[in-house]
Structures are given as structure tokens and as C-alpha cells.
Amino acid sequence: MANEYTNKVVLSSGETLIDLTGDTADAAHVLSGYTFHDKSGAPVTGTNTFDADTSDDTAAVAEILAGKTAHARTLSRRDFTTARAKSA
């Protein structure tokens, strides 16, 4: 069966209008919800949320300054002030 998507458009003059065959984008590297076309021409929706994998973190907000491992994703000014006061 032929490819149902178009990944290269060449005009009758020989000029290439669009060529996706060398594209390297994949869903994991495109923002979640945005659509693009892969090198075959197929539409794909991005899945990247820039979310950190925090499964191995051991720190609570109050312990961040105490030598623990943490990814600070949403540390607010209030949380920072509370953490600093508790660790002092």
C-alpha cells in the first residue's frame, strides 16, 4: 500500500517546495497538544510537558536546604520563606 501522507512536494520546475524526509522531530520533543508532521508526513501530536521526574526525590519543602535531592518545580515565595525559617 502506498504512503497515504505526503512528505515531499516537488514542483514541475524541479523546485522542492517542502521536504519532510530529513525531519527528526518526535512527540516527546514537541510541546503537549501541538501538532506537527513527522518525516513520513503523518500528523503527530506532541507529548512534552517539561515535567520533571520527581520519583527519586527525598526532600520535603522544609528540607530543601538540608542537603536533600529535589526538583523545585513550583516553589513559591511563601514556601521558600517557610523552608528557610524551619531550617534555621
Side-chain angles (χ1 to χ4, degrees):
M1 181 168 122
N3 184 359
E4 65 181 288
Y5 304 108
T6 301
N7 62 357
K8 189 172 187 178
V9 177
V10 181
L11 302 178
S12 60
S13 66
E15 177 187 359
T16 301
L17 186 61
I18 189 168
D19 183 357
L20 303 174
T21 59
D23 288 3
T24 59
D26 59 38
H29 291 93
V30 175
L31 287 175
S32 180
Y34 284 81
T35 57
F36 66 101
H37 294 87
D38 66 12
K39 65 182 177 181
S40 74
V44 181
T45 302
T47 59
N48 187 331
T49 61
F50 286 108
D51 199 8
D53 175 8
T54 60
S55 62
D56 62 343
D57 292 352
T58 60
V61 171
E63 300 173 316
I64 289 188
L65 301 176
K68 299 284 185 170
T69 302
H71 294 83
R73 184 169 66 175
T74 56
L75 187 62
S76 70
R77 176 180 278 274
R78 180 183 56 82
D79 291 336
F80 178 74
T81 303
T82 302
R84 193 173 66 196
K86 286 183 179 180
S87 65

